[in-house]
Amino acid sequence: MPDAAACSCGPTRRQLLRGTGAAAGAIAGAGVLAACAEQKPTPQEAAASASAAGAGTVVVALADVPVGGAVAAKVGGQDVLVTQPTQGEVHAFSAICTHAGCTVAPGEGELLCPCHQSRYALTDAAVLGGPAPEPLPSIQVEVSGDDVVLA
């Protein structure tokens, strides 16, 4: 007579519990990965989206942009950087790093990505150092009265 413990009639309770735990872990892991894989626009898409807000849209007050520096702003829901390398000369760029998509911030006389230390020039967002492969995309702006506006 065969031993009941040796019966191969189906999975044991222990096997079922292990399988259920593994499946729950896989589902939870997939949820975490989906949250981490949030769709971010490319730097070029972000610049185009900001520009789409339309000519004359106020980006920032000129007085808020330090000469020889930059300020962060939002236009059309996109992070942008407005620079003023010299008095009255203004430029704007997407704030999305061309290396890994992190948000670039104003630095000391340059634009700096805090993730991997890519550095960009205030005048044309050319890469000054770090792993960034290309400059930040520009956004056309001009001074209108006391404000920097989309051109």
Side-chain angles (χ1 to χ4, degrees):
M1 184 180 239
D3 183 2
C7 177
S8 60
C9 303
T12 66
R13 189 174 81 165
R14 178 175 286 155
Q15 290 169 327
L16 283 174
L17 289 174
R18 281 186 188 154
T20 303
I27 291 169
V32 168
L33 286 176
C36 290
E38 175 187 333
Q39 290 295 89
K40 290 184 179 180
T42 66
Q44 294 77 12
E45 291 169 341
S49 178
S51 295
T57 300
V58 174
V59 179
V60 67
L62 181 60
D64 291 343
V65 187
V67 175
V71 66
K74 275 203 184 280
V75 179
Q78 300 299 321
D79 291 317
V80 300
L81 295 162
V82 180
T83 69
Q84 187 172 199
T86 60
Q87 184 72 40
E89 175 192 358
V90 294
H91 305 279
F93 307 99
S94 166
I96 297 177
C97 184
T98 59
H99 171 244
C102 297
T103 303
V104 178
E108 294 295 320
E110 63 189 12
L111 306 173
L112 177 65
C113 181
C115 295
H116 303 105
Q117 306 310 304
S118 289
R119 298 172 19 251
Y120 301 91
L122 294 177
T123 55
D124 58 2
V127 178
L128 299 174
E134 57 192 50
L136 297 173
S138 67
I139 299 165
Q140 296 302 309
V141 293
E142 62 188 8
V143 175
S144 177
D146 295 332
D147 295 318
V148 176
V149 301
L150 293 179

